[in-house]
Amino acid sequence: MKRNMAYKIQMIYASLFILIIASTVLISYISGTERLEREVIDSNLQMLNQINKRMESTLEEIDRAIIQMLQTGDAAFFFNTPRTGDPEYLIRLDGIQSQISGLKRSYPVIQSMYLYSRANEMLLSEELYNPTSEETDKHWISTFYTENFYYKWTANPLFMEKNVNRHTVTLIRFYPMADKPKNRKGVIAVNLPETILSDMFSDLQFGNSGNVLITDEQGTILSHADKSRIGRNIAEYKLGGQVLFEKDSGFTRHKNGKASEWVFYSSSAYTGWKLVYVVSQGQMSGLFLAIRNILLALAGIMVLLSVGSVVLVNKTWFTPMERFINKVESLFSKRDGGTATGAGSLRRDFNRLEGTIRDVLTGYSDAVRQLQESKPALKLQILFDIVTGHRTRYDLAKPYFDHIGLELYLGHYIVMIAELDNKVLLEKISDLNPYLYAVCNVAEELMKERGEALKGGAVQINEYQAVILISFLEEDAVANMEQAVTFAQSLLDAVQKYIKHSVSIGIGSYSRRFADIKDSYQAAQECIHYKLVAGPGTIITGNDISALDGAGLMELFDLADQLQEAVWQTNPDKVAELLSAIFVMAAQCRFADKTMVQFALQLIYRTGKKVADPALLERLQSGHMEIEGRLARTGSLSDMREYLLELMEYMVEALVEKRNSKTKADELIARITAYISLHYGQSGLSLNLLSEEFAISSNHLSKIFKQSTGINFVDYVIAIRMQEAQRLLLEGPSTVNQIAEQVGYTNVTSFMRSFKKFSGMTPSEYRQAERA
């Protein structure tokens, strides 16, 4: 019977351990897959945004080249001058066609380019110019004049071209660029192959199965691996209605029959297009198989260890305890007391039992302590799930609130993002967590001071940001937004006072329902992206963000062109003045932080190309990541302007040094050409002779000679000798042999060959023709 009891106890403990291990493995698997799922989602979104930026950069570079062409005199002549048959008119048309050819050579991805002028009813391309009424349907042209946009990227073919893939990406721009439709004088259309977009999809992890597409604002598919789907509407698919009206970037889950799909999307502010990436649940789940297999293996090992431990503990703990109980029973059953030996054995059993109970109590204390320490992590998880839309039901989330110390009303929410300023200074601090922890504590203390009017919580969400969720007792949207702004100002003042560091705060939109908190969070993130323009230590709301002004954007591009010219003219004062004007205009255009960084990068590289210094261009290319990181870390537009001014002044100095070197080289070449003019009759005149005469290496002499004169040394000497030979043939009675010797040729055959190549006839023919 005792053996059966010991066996039952072993089975109970073994079953309990197995149950605990299974629960632990299950919880670890769920939490691990959730964490991995979030990482996979973040990596896919980052890759999608990178592809979107790459497409935007490619299209914007072509657009800027078109803008530069439209600002030339030839373009103005074509769009403003009525058609005539004069040769001068045709020559000007040939000039604009040459510009089109040059653009196509600079950008091989351009398939074709067409310019249409209202003034002359003419369609112009690289290969043709003709009245549109003769060969081309004008319907596509007239449809664009009534549109209010300044430019548009579309994938609808404007007209069919015989030798061009019908799937094209087309840029539409007008002349003048910033005028209203009634004042427009012409339109330009630039066709690119659709494959320049679809070829960029290969970077995606699951992007080789035709599950990546681009749509316009109306949902029309513009690019897809399956070309038969181009031109169809995304609304034909169930996922269309879910992503068509989404902004920025994000993801959603979608049911496709019985299967589940993940739909990632990223929107382009420049083109208005949306990049959509569909991944099946099966593809996503494949990433989690390794975690599952590892956890199952660990579970098996732990089960074996636990069963072995139960057997071992039974032998070392339960058996003495059972013997202790038997001895106690024997003591009560006997009339006389036990022996000394029995009392000593009983004391040892009591001591072992006391140690076991102490171990149990210590383990319980450790478990309570670990539970207390896990509250911040659980609070971060719960709040982050709420603001990102992973928890959308108040009734299911509320049971966690008391445990993590969070109080929220049932409705009326606003989310704020607090971001530490001056990232350059913060990079010198090894651990920023105490700063953000202090910001969160200050925010929650300020909430408590306001009593019942508002409740909420704050947690750190990344290296530089903390999210603050506020709920309001009253349902007055205007009053609640005013309270939020007042609260944000109090938080700014308190952080500056107690933490001695400034923060910027982006305030999201007002949300009535718990499920809509994610919209407020996204709006807050959008606001904080304008921190660079707003400056450090500011509060940014949705009202502070305005749409880009097209005319202002054109003026900004014009200022950028003037800046490049000022650098080329090595005028540092003008450079500083134009940079100040550019950043004033950028602030008025309300560029987001990332947009401003990209604009600054384009400004740097285009100016570097203007300088055309190989060493400088190599430095800019090799230091691309460093330059972009430095721009991203600037805390304000003034900091970014100072950094750009530093780079522009460096370019001016490089250009001055280059021109000084060129001046010295030109002076040297002038001395060398003078020497050649005096000694061309020496048959031994050579590059090596000159290099010794002027103490310069022959390779360097050959290089700077061609740079300065435009031709190489040998051709230059031949030209000098042949010109002198022509003079001697006409002015004197000297024979061809004598003239060859006088101009430095020891071989008359070689002289005659050079002379005929230079003049197109032999010396005798030349003398006879010129005298006749």
Side-chain angles (χ1 to χ4, degrees):
M1 182 176 178
K2 291 179 181 179
R3 289 181 178 274
N4 289 336
M5 180 177 292
Y7 177 74
K8 289 179 180 178
I9 291 176
Q10 288 185 53
M11 289 299 295
I12 291 171
Y13 275 104
S15 301
L16 182 61
F17 279 128
I18 292 172
L19 179 62
I20 293 172
I21 292 169
S23 302
T24 303
V25 169
L26 181 61
I27 293 171
S28 299
Y29 177 71
I30 293 173
S31 62
T33 52
E34 285 181 352
R35 184 171 60 255
L36 181 59
E37 185 177 276
R38 287 195 300 272
E39 292 174 357
V40 171
I41 289 170
D42 290 342
S43 64
N44 277 297
L45 285 176
Q46 290 175 6
M47 181 59 70
L48 213 60
N49 288 330
Q50 286 285 22
I51 293 175
N52 217 348
K53 288 180 183 177
R54 198 183 311 160
M55 289 191 297
E56 283 184 349
S57 177
T58 300
L59 299 180
E60 281 180 343
E61 185 174 355
I62 294 174
D63 191 7
R64 290 192 182 97
I66 299 302
I67 290 172
Q68 287 185 344
M69 188 189 77
L70 290 177
Q71 293 173 340
T72 62
D74 286 335
F77 177 84
F78 172 73
F79 286 114
N80 293 304
T81 308
R83 176 162 46 101
T84 68
D86 295 340
E88 182 183 353
Y89 183 83
L90 297 178
I91 290 173
R92 295 298 294 269
L93 289 184
D94 185 66
I96 191 69
Q97 283 183 313
S98 298
Q99 289 194 40
I100 294 173
S101 300
L103 273 177
K104 291 184 67 176
R105 287 193 298 272
S106 299
Y107 301 94
V109 295
I110 297 179
Q111 283 184 333
S112 60
M113 188 184 309
Y114 292 89
L115 281 73
Y116 169 74
S117 170
R118 269 184 171 179
N120 51 41
E121 286 290 316
M122 180 174 288
L123 187 72
L124 182 68
S125 72
E126 178 188 14
E127 301 172 351
L128 63 87
Y129 50 87
N130 63 281
T132 55
S133 57
E134 294 178 8
E135 297 182 12
T136 309
D137 180 12
K138 292 191 295 183
H139 177 69
W140 68 270
I141 300 171
S142 60
T143 56
F144 288 106
Y145 278 106
T146 58
E147 300 291 342
N148 290 323
F149 57 79
Y150 293 102
Y151 72 92
K152 182 176 183 178
W153 281 97
T154 176
N156 299 322
L158 301 179
F159 43 82
M160 299 303 294
E161 301 175 77
K162 294 179 181 179
N163 299 321
V164 179
N165 189 330
R166 66 188 183 91
H167 297 300
T168 60
V169 180
T170 303
L171 168 65
I172 301 295
R173 270 204 175 274
F174 301 101
Y175 184 89
M177 290 179 286
D179 267 8
K180 296 180 179 179
K182 64 180 181 180
N183 298 327
R184 290 170 180 166
K185 297 181 179 180
V187 61
I188 181 169
V190 184
N191 294 323
L192 315 177
E194 172 270 339
T195 52
I196 69 169
L197 305 179
S198 58
D199 289 347
M200 297 183 185
F201 301 162
S202 58
D203 291 347
L204 292 167
Q205 186 172 6
F206 306 114
N208 297 323
S209 57
N211 57 341
V212 191
L213 53 96
I214 297 175
T215 71
D216 62 13
E217 295 169 332
Q218 288 74 40
T220 303
I221 297 176
L222 309 180
S223 180
H224 197 285
D226 183 359
K227 307 307 177 187
S228 64
R229 297 191 181 185
I230 296 177
R232 296 165 64 181
N233 199 287
I234 195 174
E236 297 179 16
Y237 308 95
K238 292 183 179 180
L239 61 91
Q242 299 178 8
V243 303
L244 187 56
F245 300 105
E246 297 287 350
K247 297 179 180 179
D248 297 327
S249 63
F251 70 95
T252 182
R253 299 194 66 168
H254 155 68
K255 271 288 186 181
N256 187 3
K258 294 183 179 180
S260 180
E261 293 179 335
W262 293 80
V263 182
F264 301 92
Y265 56 86
S266 176
S267 302
S268 170
Y270 169 62
T271 60
W273 296 346
K274 186 175 272 83
L275 179 59
V276 182
Y277 175 36
V278 184
V279 182
S280 68
Q281 183 62 46
Q283 290 172 317
M284 294 282 284
S285 300
L287 302 172
F288 308 142
L289 291 178
I291 291 181
R292 186 192 66 184
N293 295 336
I294 291 172
L295 288 175
L296 287 176
L298 289 175
I301 294 172
M302 292 173 68
V303 166
L304 293 176
L305 290 175
S306 61
V307 172
S309 300
V310 167
V311 174
L312 181 63
V313 168
N314 180 65
K315 291 182 178 179
T316 59
W317 182 74
F318 181 76
T319 301
M321 183 176 179
E322 192 175 33
R323 187 169 64 250
F324 161 71
I325 294 172
N326 292 332
K327 287 185 178 181
V328 171
E329 290 179 350
S330 64
L331 287 175
F332 281 101
S333 62
K334 291 181 179 179
R335 294 181 180 178
D336 300 329
T339 62
T341 304
S345 177
L346 182 63
R347 189 178 297 108
R348 286 195 302 272
D349 290 338
F350 268 119
N351 291 337
R352 184 174 297 175
L353 178 60
E354 181 183 1
T356 303
I357 294 172
R358 186 184 300 109
D359 291 340
V360 172
L361 294 177
T362 302
Y364 176 76
S365 300
D366 291 342
V368 172
R369 179 176 51 80
Q370 291 175 5
L371 184 61
Q372 293 294 332
E373 291 175 352
S374 68
K375 281 186 178 181
L378 184 59
K379 181 179 180 180
L380 169 61
Q381 183 67 50
I382 298 297
L383 261 179
F384 191 74
D385 285 349
I386 292 172
V387 299
T388 55
H390 290 85
R391 294 181 185 269
T392 57
R393 292 183 55 180
Y394 181 85
D395 55 338
L396 297 180
K398 193 175 185 310
Y400 295 96
F401 292 170
D402 294 337
H403 180 67
I404 62 176
L406 177 66
E407 292 184 75
L408 286 178
Y409 289 120
L410 182 58
H412 319 299
Y413 307 94
I414 289 179
V415 177
M416 302 181 186
I417 301 292
E419 182 173 293
L420 295 173
D421 294 328
N422 199 344
K423 292 184 179 179
V424 176
L425 176 62
L426 294 175
E427 287 181 347
K428 300 177 182 179
I429 302 174
S430 60
D431 187 8
L432 298 177
N433 291 329
Y435 288 89
L436 287 170
Y437 181 74
V439 171
C440 294
N441 284 344
V442 171
E444 292 185 345
E445 287 298 324
L446 290 174
M447 291 181 199
K448 292 177 182 178
E449 291 178 3
R450 281 160 174 75
E452 299 298 320
L454 56 84
K455 296 183 181 298
V459 291
Q460 176 184 351
I461 57 173
N462 58 41
E463 187 180 4
Y464 296 102
Q465 292 180 340
V467 64
I468 303 164
L469 173 60
I470 300 176
S471 62
F472 301 90
L473 179 62
E474 303 296 335
E475 60 180 23
D476 187 339
V478 176
N480 289 341
M481 182 57 73
E482 290 177 354
Q483 280 196 70
V485 174
T486 303
F487 173 84
Q489 187 59 55
S490 300
L491 180 58
L492 284 181
D493 296 339
V495 169
Q496 184 65 46
K497 179 179 179 181
Y498 297 111
I499 305 178
K500 307 301 182 185
H501 198 90
S502 69
V503 296
S504 295
I505 299 178
I507 301 181
S509 57
Y510 175 72
S511 301
R512 295 184 181 277
R513 300 186 307 134
F514 188 81
D516 296 334
I517 292 176
K518 62 181 179 63
D519 298 331
S520 181
Y521 172 71
Q522 291 175 356
Q525 285 285 13
E526 183 177 354
C527 289
I528 206 67
H529 287 164
Y530 288 83
K531 187 184 78 168
L532 187 63
V533 175
T538 55
I539 299 171
I540 311 165
T541 65
N543 295 329
D544 299 324
I545 303 172
S546 60
L548 295 179
D549 175 32
L553 203 57
M554 292 301 102
E555 185 176 348
L556 191 63
F557 288 149
D558 183 57
L559 289 172
D561 292 339
Q562 293 181 42
L563 175 66
Q564 295 170 29
E565 188 62 29
V567 172
W568 179 250
Q569 294 173 358
T570 62
N571 188 342
D573 294 335
K574 188 66 174 177
V575 168
E577 178 186 340
L578 287 170
L579 263 181
S580 297
I582 285 172
F583 276 85
V584 169
M585 183 60 66
Q588 293 174 0
C589 290
R590 309 299 294 173
F591 280 165
D593 293 5
K594 293 180 180 178
T595 306
M596 195 62 214
V597 169
Q598 293 302 315
F599 174 74
L601 282 173
Q602 288 294 326
L603 204 59
I604 292 169
Y605 293 134
R606 291 182 69 84
T607 307
K609 288 181 180 179
K610 181 77 173 178
V611 173
D613 181 78
L616 175 62
L617 289 175
E618 183 180 356
R619 180 193 169 191
L620 292 177
Q621 291 170 357
S622 62
H624 172 80
M625 297 300 294
E626 179 185 351
I627 294 173
E628 184 175 9
R630 176 71 180 276
L631 290 171
R633 293 193 301 273
T634 53
S636 64
L637 287 181
S638 60
D639 292 342
M640 183 179 287
R641 186 189 67 241
E642 290 301 320
Y643 178 57
L644 258 66
L645 181 59
E646 178 184 335
L647 287 178
M648 297 300 170
E649 289 176 344
Y650 174 79
M651 294 180 189
V652 169
E653 292 174 1
L655 197 55
V656 170
E657 182 178 352
K658 178 181 178 182
R659 288 176 179 173
N660 289 338
S661 298
K662 187 177 186 306
T663 301
K664 294 178 181 178
D666 290 343
E667 292 174 354
L668 175 62
I669 296 303
R671 291 167 54 205
I672 291 175
T673 54
Y675 183 90
I676 294 172
S677 298
L678 293 175
H679 300 87
Y680 64 87
Q682 296 180 6
S683 60
L685 182 64
S686 66
L687 202 62
N688 290 332
L689 176 66
L690 291 176
S691 67
E692 293 177 2
E693 181 71 23
F694 291 93
I696 184 174
S697 71
S698 58
N699 289 335
H700 184 58
L701 174 58
S702 176
K703 179 180 177 181
I704 64 173
F705 191 93
K706 186 169 184 179
Q707 287 176 347
S708 182
T709 63
I711 61 174
N712 60 45
F713 168 77
V714 173
D715 291 340
Y716 182 85
V717 172
I718 290 175
I720 293 293
R721 287 173 169 173
M722 293 304 104
Q723 290 170 3
E724 180 63 18
Q726 288 176 343
R727 187 185 67 80
L728 292 173
L729 283 168
L730 298 179
E731 294 182 358
S734 302
T735 65
V736 172
N737 289 342
Q738 291 171 338
I739 292 173
E741 186 177 352
Q742 290 178 41
V743 297
Y745 282 88
T746 57
N747 187 325
V748 69
T749 303
S750 177
F751 166 73
M752 294 183 68
R753 187 184 305 114
S754 297
F755 189 92
K756 186 171 185 179
K757 184 177 180 182
F758 182 81
S759 303
M761 57 187 77
T762 65
S764 299
E765 291 171 346
Y766 178 82
R767 172 179 278 173
Q768 184 177 2
E770 289 297 324
R771 287 182 176 177

